[in-house]
Amino acid sequence: MRLGITRSAKDLGDILERTQTKELRIVPLPLVTYTPVDFHLPNEMRPQAGDWLIFTSPRGVDYFIGVNGRSGLQPAKDIKIGVVGSRTAEAVKKYGFAVAFLPSIATSETLFEEFLAQHRGISGRVLYLSSSDISFDPEKLFCQAGINYLRLIVYHSQPAGLKVKVLSQFSNEDAILFTSPMAVKVFAQNHGVPIPRAIAIGIVTERAMKEQGWEVESVLTEPNIQRAVNEIGAAI
C-alpha cells in the first residue's frame, strides 16, 4: 500500500526512515512550499510586558523565535504565548518559552474564540505570527473586543508543482493524508478528485475536502502524522 503525505521528504524526516516497509510505502507529496519572510521588527512592534504572541503552526514558531527566527526574542515570563495545538506547543517549549494558552480543540477558530472568551479584559497587545495563507482571520473578533491586535506574516505558503507521474502510481487501494486546507485546494485545482482514499489531518482540512465534494475516508483524532502512519501500518 502507498500512503501519500502532503509534506516534503525533509518535513517528514525520520518518519520516512522508520516506517518504510514492503507493506507500507510512504510517498512525500509536497503540494505547498514555505518561505520565511525577511522582516525587520521595529522597536515599537517588539513584544512588551503583558503582550500575547499567538502561533498556529510549529513553522511559525521556528521562523519567528527559533533557529531561523528574525525577531531576536528571548524567553520572558511577562510575555505570554498562545498556541493552536500540542505540536505547536512543543515547538514553543523547545526554544525555552512557556505556553500560557491552549484551546480545547486544535483549530484556529476555537483558539481565537476561546482566547477572547477568557481574556477580554487584557490591556496588552495580541500579535498573531502567521503564514500568508490562513484558514481563519480573527481581526474582526479582536476589533469587536476592543483589543489591540496585529497580524505579522512570518512565512509565505505557496503552491508547489507535483508531477503527474508520481500520482499515477496510486490506486484506489492506496491513500493520501492531506495535512492542510491549502494542500487540498492545490490538489483540487491541479488534479481534481483524488483516486486514492483521502484522509484529513484534522477537522479544518476535512471541511476543505468536503467543500471540494470529496469523500473523506477518515479524520485523525489528533494531528500526529507518526501515530497515523503507525496505525495505518498496523491495520494492513
Side-chain angles (χ1 to χ4, degrees), residues 9-200:
K10 181 180 178 180
D11 286 340
L12 293 175
D14 292 343
I15 293 177
L16 286 175
E17 298 178 7
R18 289 197 301 260
T19 55
Q20 294 281 22
T21 66
K22 292 181 179 180
E23 293 76 22
L24 180 63
R25 181 184 174 192
I26 308 299
V27 182
L29 300 175
L31 292 166
V32 183
T33 59
Y34 304 97
T35 308
V37 173
D38 189 15
F39 66 85
H40 170 70
L41 200 62
N43 289 333
E44 62 271 17
M45 287 179 60
R46 288 187 172 277
Q48 306 294 327
D51 288 350
W52 279 85
L53 305 181
I54 303 293
F55 295 98
T56 52
S57 73
R59 199 179 304 275
V61 176
D62 288 337
Y63 286 149
F64 189 71
I65 60 176
V67 292
N68 296 313
R70 285 144 169 82
S71 65
L73 190 67
Q74 297 297 318
K77 293 181 180 179
D78 51 4
I79 296 175
K80 297 182 179 180
I81 298 179
V83 299
V84 71
S86 59
R87 286 182 60 249
T88 308
E90 290 172 4
V92 168
K93 294 174 183 177
K94 178 175 66 176
Y95 295 114
F97 289 80
V99 173
F101 182 78
L102 188 71
S104 60
I105 301 174
T107 70
S108 297
E109 294 98 320
T110 305
L111 165 65
F112 290 113
E113 288 170 0
E114 292 185 354
F115 177 86
L116 284 168
Q118 297 178 32
H119 301 88
R120 281 194 173 273
I122 62 173
S123 57
R125 298 172 303 171
V126 173
L127 186 60
Y128 178 23
L129 297 314
S130 77
S131 162
S132 55
D133 181 82
I134 56 175
S135 59
F136 179 77
D137 189 345
E139 182 175 4
K140 184 177 180 180
L141 294 179
F142 281 103
C143 183
Q144 292 173 340
I147 294 175
N148 188 357
Y149 162 82
L150 176 67
R151 176 187 171 203
L152 179 64
I153 296 174
V154 295
Y155 67 99
H156 289 298
S157 302
Q158 299 170 313
L162 192 63
K163 294 181 179 180
V164 176
K165 181 181 179 181
V166 176
L167 289 177
S168 66
Q169 303 172 19
F170 286 80
S171 72
N172 57 8
E173 297 296 322
D174 300 319
I176 296 178
L177 171 59
F178 288 88
T179 57
S180 71
M182 186 172 181
V184 173
K185 181 180 178 181
V186 173
F187 189 99
Q189 288 177 341
N190 294 284
H191 309 287
V193 179
I195 294 175
R197 292 168 291 157
I199 302 172

Side-chain angles (χ1 to χ4, degrees), residues 208-226:
M209 293 161 73
K210 289 184 175 179
E211 288 174 355
Q212 296 293 339
W214 296 0
E215 181 177 343
V216 181
E217 171 78 12
S218 61
V219 183
L220 303 190
T221 54
E222 62 175 288
N224 187 314
I225 295 177
Q226 181 65 73

